[in-house]
Amino acid sequence: MIKSFLQRYFYIILLLLSSAIFSIFSFDIDGNIRNIKLAFLISFLSSFFILREFQDNEKIVFLLTFLIFSLVVYFFSKIQSRIDFEFFPQNSLIFAIPFFVLPSVLLYIIGEKKTIYTSSFVSLVSYFIHKDFSLSFIWFICSFVVLISLKKARRRISLFKVGVFYGLCGTFLIFILENGFSKSFLFLFSSLFSPFISVGLIYFIERTFRILTPFYLFDLQDFENPLLVQLRKRAPGTFHHSLFVADIASSVAEKLGVNAELVRCAALYHDVGKIIRPAYFIENLKGLEKHLKINPPLSSKVIIKHVEDGVKLARSYNIPERIIDFIREHHGTTYPEFFIKAAEEENPNFEVRYPGPSPRSVETVIVMIADSCEAALRSLEEITSDKIAEIVERVIEKKMEMRQFDNAPITLEQLNKIKSATIETLIEFYHPRISYSEEKIKYYLHLKKEKYKQEENKEENGTNSSHTNNKYSDGIDKERENGGEVQKRKIKNSE
């Protein structure tokens, strides 16, 4: 009974303990019993309503952030009250607290929306410890500056650039609200030093808990990554295919508004299992030499085995599980159609499928469709817009018939958007190109000559028509002059 009670109200108990510790910190600074009650009440109620938006793991992150930051503020406030600094006035040391670390790290752990909740709550509630409302307000405003600036950051150097911007914004606000040079200096110094802490924490968290931050994804896409180096050396055709699929899938993901960086990174690794037996895959050889030496059922099993091999290879190179999901799911529970049909000629009851599972996210659906469409288009001699549209529709219809999208949280509307985006992207990639054959060159020169002759004829016709028009107008003018003289003579005769 006690165990079930603790499991049910575990986070409420943690919240009570966190609020109680926070209240003790507040009381120890000023010794006012009324403030401890107010601090407990506000921190508990605010946290309670905020935590309703969080998942279980995110609740732990929120409470840990609340406690750690409260402890840091308490530590700085305690030092400030006990030690007199010669160069800095009293109550200025707390401006050196590296608040920048909080929103810059949480953004990549719990997302933008929940980071806004957490940083806003912590910045405002911490007033009960440091007793400087201007500082809480500056932290509150600057947290939004950090989040907006880091929204599309892909490289760790961006943290240092945003740190400088954060420091300048905070310094400007301090001059307006506090008019203190020492506080501005400490805040700016903190903002320049904080990115080093943020980079270290983000690196530790993403590698320890396998959280795919934009920085981690950027590192995984480096062509000097050991696994991609092996793919490039041992299976160059597959490597080129993976690059093409990555470009197609990431472009489609951008148009749909899903995680394009994740899609691009995963597409680079989706066929790494072909490193083990590269010669058995058509993109790495000319013809079917290896498959002619074995029977079709065995060929089918060799082709299917690359998924299992890819999972093992990826794990041996410490690739995150989220990327490994794409290796497992990009073929779903389909089958290698060419060799299955060949095997059925010998044994009609033969059946083998990829181990799966089928795609379980919109991102894996995009990679599955891009992979199948690229492979189908590669077999065509001539690629046109109509053929691209036909192949994409056929691929998606076949996947739907085989129920490959049943486990993915995707609607028919999203699937139609993926289809149209894939067609549009492939048309952009396979746009018509000029042929450099001798016949084409001669035909091109012939067209140029014909066009030049037409332009010359137009110019000649234009000059002739202008001459006739000039003659016509001159005749009219002469007739008018003659008519005028005749009328004058008639008038004189009548007089």
Side-chain angles (χ1 to χ4, degrees), residues 4-61:
S4 61
F5 175 83
L6 289 174
Q7 287 177 345
R8 187 172 183 180
Y9 298 103
F10 175 71
Y11 294 106
I12 300 295
I13 294 167
L14 281 181
L15 183 55
L16 284 169
L17 289 172
S18 302
S19 299
I21 293 169
F22 172 76
S23 304
I24 292 168
F25 289 159
S26 174
F27 176 74
D28 191 54
I29 294 296
D30 62 2
N32 191 335
I33 193 68
R34 292 179 63 185
N35 283 345
I36 191 174
K37 294 177 181 177
L38 187 62
F40 177 82
L41 186 63
I42 291 176
S43 62
F44 177 77
L45 291 177
S46 302
S47 303
F48 179 78
F49 285 108
I50 289 172
L51 284 179
R52 295 172 69 183
E53 300 288 329
F54 286 57
Q55 302 292 333
D56 288 346
N57 292 336
E58 294 168 343
K59 289 176 182 177
I60 298 293
V61 172

Side-chain angles (χ1 to χ4, degrees), residues 124-266:
L124 296 175
V125 169
S126 62
Y127 165 76
F128 288 101
I129 300 176
H130 59 69
K131 309 300 179 187
D132 191 326
F133 183 77
S134 298
L135 180 59
S136 288
F137 178 75
I138 291 165
W139 282 345
F140 175 74
I141 297 298
C142 288
S143 64
F144 286 92
V145 172
V146 173
L147 294 174
I148 292 168
S149 303
L150 288 175
K151 200 168 185 179
K152 294 184 179 180
R154 294 178 65 232
R155 298 188 180 187
R156 290 180 174 85
I157 191 68
S158 303
L159 288 165
F160 295 93
K161 295 177 182 177
V162 175
V164 173
F165 185 57
Y166 162 86
L168 293 175
C169 290
T171 303
F172 175 73
L173 290 172
I174 291 168
F175 270 116
I176 293 174
L177 300 173
E178 295 279 343
N179 195 21
F181 175 78
S182 59
K183 292 179 179 179
S184 301
F185 173 79
L186 288 170
F187 190 91
L188 186 60
F189 173 78
S190 169
S191 66
L192 296 176
F193 179 74
S194 297
F196 290 96
I197 303 173
S198 297
V199 168
L201 278 174
I202 291 170
Y203 187 85
F204 172 76
I205 291 167
E206 69 186 10
R207 303 298 163 131
T208 305
F209 300 103
R210 296 292 185 214
I211 297 172
L212 289 176
T213 67
F215 312 126
Y216 197 4
L217 289 171
F218 187 79
D219 291 344
L220 288 169
Q221 292 178 59
D222 185 2
F223 289 164
E224 296 306 313
N225 183 288
L227 187 52
L228 291 181
V229 169
Q230 289 295 318
L231 181 64
R232 186 173 70 243
K233 288 181 177 179
R234 300 190 62 184
T238 302
F239 180 73
H240 182 267
H241 160 73
S242 298
L243 285 176
F244 215 164
V245 172
D247 287 339
I248 295 166
S250 62
S251 181
V252 172
E254 281 181 6
K255 290 173 183 176
L256 260 72
V258 298
N259 194 338
E261 284 300 314
L262 172 63
V263 168
R264 178 175 177 79
C265 180

Side-chain angles (χ1 to χ4, degrees), residues 312-353:
K312 289 178 181 177
L313 264 176
R315 283 182 177 153
S316 67
Y317 280 85
N318 293 319
I319 303 298
E321 282 295 320
R322 185 68 185 95
I323 302 297
I324 293 174
D325 287 342
F326 285 80
I327 299 173
R328 276 197 293 256
E329 297 171 19
H330 77 278
H331 282 299
T333 55
T334 59
Y335 49 82
E337 190 172 350
F338 180 87
F339 290 108
I340 287 293
K341 286 182 177 179
E344 286 175 351
E345 294 292 327
E346 298 178 4
N347 181 9
N349 297 322
F350 178 78
E351 184 178 356
V352 66
R353 289 177 178 267

Side-chain angles (χ1 to χ4, degrees), residues 74 86 135 148 191 246 280 347 376 384 408 430:
Y74 172 76
E86 184 178 351
L135 180 59
I148 292 168
S191 66
Y280 286 90
N347 181 9
T384 62
Y430 288 100

